[in-house]
Structure formats: C-alpha cells, structure tokens
C-alpha cells in the first residue's frame, strides 16, 4: 500500500462525516465501532479494513460512486460495478424504464442521471419541450438548462420566479449533500442565467392561480390557457450498480382537467421536438460523458 493512501481515505471519511453533520461519537455508534478507532482512521494512524470502509460508507449514506472512491483511496478494489444502459446485463432495466415511460402517457415523464442529464423520455414530453432551441439539446439535454435557460421552458412559465427558486434550492441542497463538483458547476452556471421577474398582473382570459395542494406547481402557458402540473420522483430500490443508483424517473401529473385534456390531445400530435430527439441527443452524449469530479 502507498503510504499516503490510508490518510487519504481518512480525509474523505472525515469530509463525509462533516457533510452529514455527525460527530465522531455519532458515526461510531452508527457504524458499531469505537470513537478511538474512528479517530485513528480519520487521522491516518490506522488503516480501516475493507469491511469497515463499507460499514462507515453505509452509515454515512455515501452514494455508490463515492463508496468506490473510498475503497480505492484505501487501496481496495471497488465494490460496485458501473454499467452502461446499453449493456446486455441492463436489458431488463431498460425495458422496465421504457414500460414506465410508455404507461405514463399521455402525461410527461423523463429519466435523468445524477447530474440531471436526460437519459430518456416519453412522447408526452413534447408538450413541455415545444419551442426549445436545438442548442439546448447538445452536447446532452439537461433538465436545469432546458428549464431555466432564457431560451428554454422558463420563457413559457407563468410562475417562472417561483420555479427557479425551488429548482435552485433543490440543486444547492444536492450539492451540499453529495459534494459533487459537476453539480456545483451546474448550480453556478444556472445561477448566472437572468432571473425572471414575478408578473404583477394575470393576463386577460387566464384565471388567477388558486391555492392548491402543491406549493409550487409547474404552470406552463399554452394557447387557450395554462397547464398546471406537479411531479413525483422514483428511484430503483437497493441498486448494486453505480449507474442504476444514479437514475431517477420524474413523472408529471395534471393538477386540473384543462391540463389533463391538453395532454390527452397532445398525445395524438407529435410536436417538435419529440421525445426521440431528447433520447437521441442523450444517447449520443452518453459515449462522450466526462469523468465525474469526485469530492
């Protein structure tokens, strides 16, 4: 073992403990070890076993990608494989994703990775993506760029300021939780986009928004009215693959009958850009994705 590797894993473990706002005593109790041993690991005076690294990572709720990084820093082999969705072993996963997306139509649904890059989407996403310029689809479609860029969906949002604030708060929380450099770069990028102003008045013919069960719905202006949607996020349970652990499925639902009717009608018309454009752009970029920046 290289002499600087054990201190390195200790530094990483301490960073994760501090990120989770845990004391050494808190973490020692969670991992069923002693504070003395944990202190020696963090300062590099003791080399943790492979089992201890994984136990500490589990207690700290470290993502699988970073668990592999911890193991490598301690001179152990990674515990979790990282597969491409096109790999033969992931065929059933891809089939399950396609089934979920198709079954959710006529409502929009999209699959994203850890960095909010679009992996795939269903045909109903065309309703939300109408008018998005091609340059926002390369090198890879990204939910935050597609939504908050001045040429993206934000220009059609009736509550753009609210949506922007909510999305930025969510992304910043994810940055703090993961320490991911790519997420931080994305946050800093979208923060530089011009902030939309909250409208002072409601356009003629569009009823004022009423209080509802969702604090910040997605309110999209369309001919004849305004779509009102909310979303839920789904992830895979107990993943053992890095790629699978980082996938999330965002499913959109209508908040009123007008929205539901527009989405049902839109399902029979493939407006540009269709979901296939998103899928093709995402697939093309997947082979050229840069290596993630580990904390």
């Amino acid at each position: 073992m290289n002499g600087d590797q054990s201190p390195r894993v200790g530094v990483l473990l301490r960073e994760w403990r501090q990120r989770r706002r845990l004391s050494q005593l808190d973490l020692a109790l969670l991992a069923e070890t002693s504070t003395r041993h944990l202190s020696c690991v963090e300062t590099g005076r003791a080399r943790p076993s492979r089992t201890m690294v994984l136990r500490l990572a589990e207690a700290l709720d470290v993502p699988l990608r970073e668990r592999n990084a911890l193991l490598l820093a301690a001179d152990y082999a990674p515990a979790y494989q990282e597969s491409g969705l096109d790999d033969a072993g992931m065929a059933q996963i891809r089939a399950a994703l396609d089934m979920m997306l198709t079954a959710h139509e006529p409502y929009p649904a999209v699959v994203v990775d850890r960095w909010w890059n679009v992996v795939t989407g269903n045909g109903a996403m065309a309703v939300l993506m109408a008018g998005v310029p091609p340059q926002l689809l390369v090198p890879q479609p990204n939910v935050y760029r597609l939504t908050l860029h001045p040429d993206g969906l934000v220009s059609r949002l009736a509550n753009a300021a609210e949506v922007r604030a909510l999305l930025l708060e969510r992304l910043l929380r994810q940055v703090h939780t993961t320490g991911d450099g790519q997420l931080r770069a994305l946050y800093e990028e979208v923060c530089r986009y011009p902030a939309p102003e909250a409208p002072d008045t409601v356009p003629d013919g569009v009823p004022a928004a009423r209080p509802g069960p969702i604090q910040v719905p997605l309110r999209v202006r369309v001919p004849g009215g305004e779509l009102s949607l909310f979303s839920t996020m789904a992830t895979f349970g107990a993943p053992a693959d890095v790629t699978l652990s980082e996938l999330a499925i965002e499913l959109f639902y209508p908040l009123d009958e007008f929205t539901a009717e527009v989405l049902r009608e839109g399902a029979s018309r493939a407006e540009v850009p269709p979901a296939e454009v998103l899928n093709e752009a995402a697939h093309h970029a997947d082979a050229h994705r840069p290596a993630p920046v580990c904390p």
Side-chain angles (χ1 to χ4, degrees):
M1 181 185 72
N2 192 323
D4 64 354
Q5 286 175 315
S6 187
R8 176 59 180 161
V9 72
V11 170
L12 290 175
L13 285 168
R14 182 171 64 248
E15 289 176 354
W16 279 107
R17 178 177 61 79
Q18 293 172 342
R19 191 172 291 128
R20 296 294 185 257
R21 300 177 182 242
L22 294 174
S23 67
Q24 286 187 340
L25 177 59
D26 293 332
L27 179 55
L29 290 172
L30 289 172
E32 299 180 345
T33 188
S34 68
T35 54
R36 176 179 176 81
H37 180 59
L38 179 58
S39 176
C40 289
V41 168
E42 289 189 352
T43 57
R45 289 177 291 166
R47 179 195 180 194
S49 67
R50 178 184 176 86
T51 299
M52 179 55 66
V53 173
L54 290 173
R55 190 188 303 169
L56 290 169
E58 177 71 23
L60 290 166
D61 193 25
V62 176
L64 299 194
R65 183 180 297 276
E66 280 70 30
R67 294 188 195 193
N68 280 344
L70 287 171
L71 288 167
L72 288 170
D75 201 27
Y76 298 117
Y80 306 97
Q81 66 179 6
E82 181 175 2
S83 307
L85 276 178
D86 292 333
D87 292 355
M90 298 286 275
Q92 291 301 318
I93 299 300
R94 186 62 187 240
L97 290 173
D98 291 343
M99 181 174 63
M100 290 178 65
L101 296 176
T102 302
H104 195 66
E105 292 179 344
Y107 306 145
V110 65
V111 180
V112 297
D113 65 14
R114 168 176 170 161
W115 302 283
W116 295 96
N117 296 317
V118 174
V119 176
T120 185
N122 67 6
M125 283 298 296
V127 176
L128 298 181
M129 299 307 303
V132 171
Q135 60 265 29
L136 289 183
L137 301 176
V138 292
Q140 184 169 13
N142 180 277
V143 167
Y144 273 81
R145 296 186 184 101
L146 292 171
T147 305
L148 299 182
H149 190 279
D151 296 328
L153 181 62
V154 70
S155 62
R156 298 168 53 212
L157 293 180
N159 60 338
E162 290 181 313
V163 170
R164 181 180 187 272
L166 178 69
L167 291 183
L168 289 180
E169 188 276 333
R170 181 174 68 178
L171 184 57
L172 182 60
R173 185 169 62 249
Q174 190 177 1
V175 169
H176 289 159
T177 299
T178 65
D180 190 288
Q182 283 185 243
L183 285 174
R184 180 169 293 280
L186 177 63
Y187 175 79
E188 292 172 352
E189 175 190 335
V190 296
C191 277
R192 292 193 294 268
Y193 295 162
E197 296 182 1
D200 296 326
T201 60
V202 178
D204 293 340
V206 177
R210 298 178 181 178
I214 302 298
Q215 185 177 14
V216 183
L218 193 66
R219 295 168 50 204
V220 185
R221 299 188 189 95
V222 296
E226 184 180 289
L227 303 182
S228 184
L229 305 107
F230 69 97
S231 69
T232 63
M233 300 294 292
T235 58
F236 288 91
D241 184 279
V242 172
T243 299
L244 193 59
S245 72
E246 295 177 348
L247 292 182
I249 305 99
E250 187 163 18
L251 306 169
F252 293 88
Y253 296 87
L255 269 171
D256 54 45
E257 184 54 35
F258 172 78
T259 302
E261 180 61 25
V262 170
L263 293 174
R264 286 193 292 265
E265 292 179 357
S268 61
R269 314 189 292 268
E271 298 184 5
V272 177
E276 287 76 8
V277 176
L278 288 177
N279 297 343
E280 183 179 349
H283 178 75
H284 174 75
D286 188 59
H288 302 88
R289 181 183 298 171
V293 180
C294 296

